[in-house]
Amino acid sequence: MSNQVGLILSFIFLSFFLLLSGEVITYQQVSVKSMSYLNDMALYIQNYGYDQKEIEKLVSYSYFDKVEINVIENDDYYVTYKIIGYKEYEYATRFLNYGFDDIVCNLNVTRKEF
């Protein structure tokens, strides 16, 4: 009888571990994808400059729930763009939403404007 109880408990703990590790892997995949899309926007701004209408046409812009681009002007014609992207993370399992928050990515791009 004790072998059956131990087997049942080990099965329960193994199931919980598999669900938790799957959730962590999914969260990491979404966060890496978010950072990649934010990097695409930063490269676009660095190469072509900041144009709000053109940036809104990008696939990487529409991926995020909210994007903030702050312009900070420096000396000698240098402009720094602070890009912040917000992505809401959707949980695969509802009872494991113990600590994952929305994904927030930050990047700074400095460009010389003429």
Side-chain angles (χ1 to χ4, degrees):
M1 184 68 170
S2 64
N3 287 340
Q4 292 173 345
V5 171
L7 186 63
I8 290 171
L9 286 177
S10 66
F11 179 72
I12 290 171
F13 287 126
L14 179 64
S15 300
F16 181 72
F17 175 74
L18 290 175
L19 285 173
L20 181 64
S21 62
E23 189 71 39
V24 169
I25 290 170
T26 305
Y27 181 80
Q28 288 298 321
Q29 287 175 343
V30 172
S31 93
V32 166
K33 187 175 180 180
S34 299
M35 196 63 197
S36 173
Y37 277 141
L38 195 74
N39 198 13
D40 286 345
M41 277 196 298
L43 286 173
Y44 182 86
I45 290 173
Q46 190 173 22
N47 289 334
Y48 302 110
Y50 176 66
D51 184 12
Q52 183 67 30
K53 291 180 182 179
E54 292 297 321
I55 290 174
E56 288 177 357
K57 293 178 184 177
L58 297 174
V59 174
S60 55
Y61 185 87
S62 62
Y63 172 76
F64 290 101
D65 297 325
K66 180 181 172 187
V67 175
E68 292 179 8
I69 301 175
N70 299 323
V71 180
I72 304 167
E73 294 191 20
N74 300 332
D75 296 336
D76 299 329
Y77 303 107
Y78 284 99
V79 178
T80 301
Y81 299 98
K82 185 175 183 179
I83 308 166
I84 305 170
Y86 300 94
K87 178 69 178 166
E88 182 180 334
Y89 178 70
E90 297 176 10
Y91 304 99
T93 54
R94 286 290 173 206
F95 70 95
L96 289 178
N97 58 0
Y98 63 94
F100 297 116
D101 292 330
D102 292 345
I103 297 169
V104 179
C105 301
N106 283 331
L107 273 179
N108 291 334
V109 176
T110 302
R111 183 174 197 272
K112 188 167 187 172
E113 301 283 340
F114 296 102

